[in-house]
Amino acid sequence: AQSVTQLDSQVPVFEEAPVELRCNYSSSVSVYLFWYVQYPNQGLQLLLKYLSGSTLVKGINGFEAEFNKSQTSFHLRKPSVHISDTAEYFCAVSLTGTASKLTFGTGTRLQVTL
Amino acid sequence: GAGVSQSPSNKVTEKGKDVELRCDPISGHTALYWYRQRLGQGLEFLIYFQGNSAPDKSGLPSDRFSAERTGESVSTLTIQRTQQEDSAVYLCASSLSGNQDEQYFGPGTRLTVT
């Protein structure tokens, strides 16, 4: 079975600083990879996804992530964060060639301050 | 158009009672998913509906949990004889099809079992 690890439960960062949220996965077969964001009192929203092709994936709101197969990682990055990026970020995987049920990590709380 | 809606937004129930949670997916979406989010944990997959196919129930934690979907519309998740460990946010998502399309999440139902 596949699993997802988000080692950082909270990441505090100052506005306009860069940020990286880490995600590692474990699977014996190929996977698709996703990052979702949950703003306070809102539902989850897809930030970006990797299905195939270029390992550098660009998403909404200036976020990007890089798939590294050898390190089984899919870290999320943004070069300059804003206060409005404060939210919970979830990494998720699904198995290729199967139904789309997602396996999620435990989430990382990004707290952006002035 | 409207997004995924869920009702109720909050539900407090006594241990041993049955509860029913409702999900209205986005119109035209053939795939529907239920997830559970316990405090401090990632989302756990519960069940997946795709068109007229038999649902994937592999994530249901016990036989106290069941779900139904009427055609490609409303779904209800029923928890019988609720236990305190059932306390969680229950999230519903829908997608256009089950083939790696983006899942759109509802705001969730917060269930508290006292």
Side-chain angles (χ1 to χ4, degrees):
Chain A
Q2 66 275 21
S3 65
V4 178
T5 301
Q6 292 181 252
L7 288 174
D8 305 307
S9 59
Q10 292 189 62
V11 173
V13 64
F14 290 112
E15 191 175 41
E16 298 184 2
V19 71
E20 178 179 85
L21 306 183
R22 296 181 294 169
C23 172
N24 288 86
Y25 69 92
S26 173
S27 176
S28 58
V29 297
S30 297
V31 296
Y32 296 137
L33 295 150
F34 306 81
W35 275 99
Y36 279 84
V37 60
Q38 187 173 32
Y39 297 105
N41 300 315
Q42 295 185 30
L44 275 78
Q45 178 183 0
L46 182 67
L47 267 181
L48 48 79
K49 62 183 178 182
Y50 171 79
L51 302 182
S52 65
S54 173
T55 57
L56 183 62
V57 180
K58 294 189 183 299
I60 61 171
N61 301 339
F63 283 92
E64 63 180 33
E66 185 155 21
F67 169 52
N68 187 319
K69 188 174 182 179
S70 63
Q71 297 186 3
T72 60
S73 68
F74 190 56
H75 301 332
L76 182 70
R77 302 185 184 98
K78 186 170 183 178
S80 175
V81 297
H82 302 287
I83 292 284
S84 59
D85 292 324
T86 294
E88 190 89 18
Y89 291 79
F90 293 93
C91 182
V93 302
S94 69
L95 300 182
T96 63
T98 67
S100 306
K101 58 185 180 183
L102 298 168
T103 299
F104 284 84
T106 52
T108 297
R109 170 77 177 168
L110 176 64
Q111 183 68 51
V112 182
T113 56
L114 295 173
Chain B
V4 177
S5 61
Q6 293 185 245
S7 61
S9 55
N10 280 283
K11 176 71 177 179
V12 180
T13 189
E14 292 180 354
K15 178 181 172 181
K17 300 283 189 184
D18 298 352
V19 295
E20 198 169 271
L21 312 180
R22 177 187 169 107
C23 171
D24 283 89
I26 293 172
S27 178
H29 280 194
T30 64
L32 186 146
Y33 313 78
W34 283 97
Y35 295 89
R36 176 172 71 175
Q37 185 177 21
R38 289 171 162 166
L39 188 63
Q41 299 185 26
L43 282 75
E44 304 170 70
F45 165 78
L46 296 177
I47 189 169
Y48 161 68
F49 295 90
Q50 171 59 60
N52 295 319
S53 301
D56 178 351
K57 303 179 182 180
S58 61
L60 294 179
S62 78
D63 58 7
R64 296 186 296 106
F65 288 72
S66 62
E68 293 184 350
R69 187 181 186 193
T70 307
E72 293 184 351
S73 61
V74 172
S75 175
T76 55
L77 176 69
T78 301
I79 309 173
Q80 295 178 310
R81 305 179 303 281
T82 53
Q83 303 294 313
Q84 287 186 331
E85 62 261 29
D86 299 334
S87 295
V89 176
Y90 289 82
L91 292 161
C92 175
S94 70
S95 67
L96 196 58
S97 73
N99 300 319
Q100 308 308 330
D101 290 329
E102 177 178 352
Q103 294 183 27
Y104 293 84
F105 283 80
T109 293
R110 182 174 298 279
L111 175 66
T112 303
V113 182
T114 60

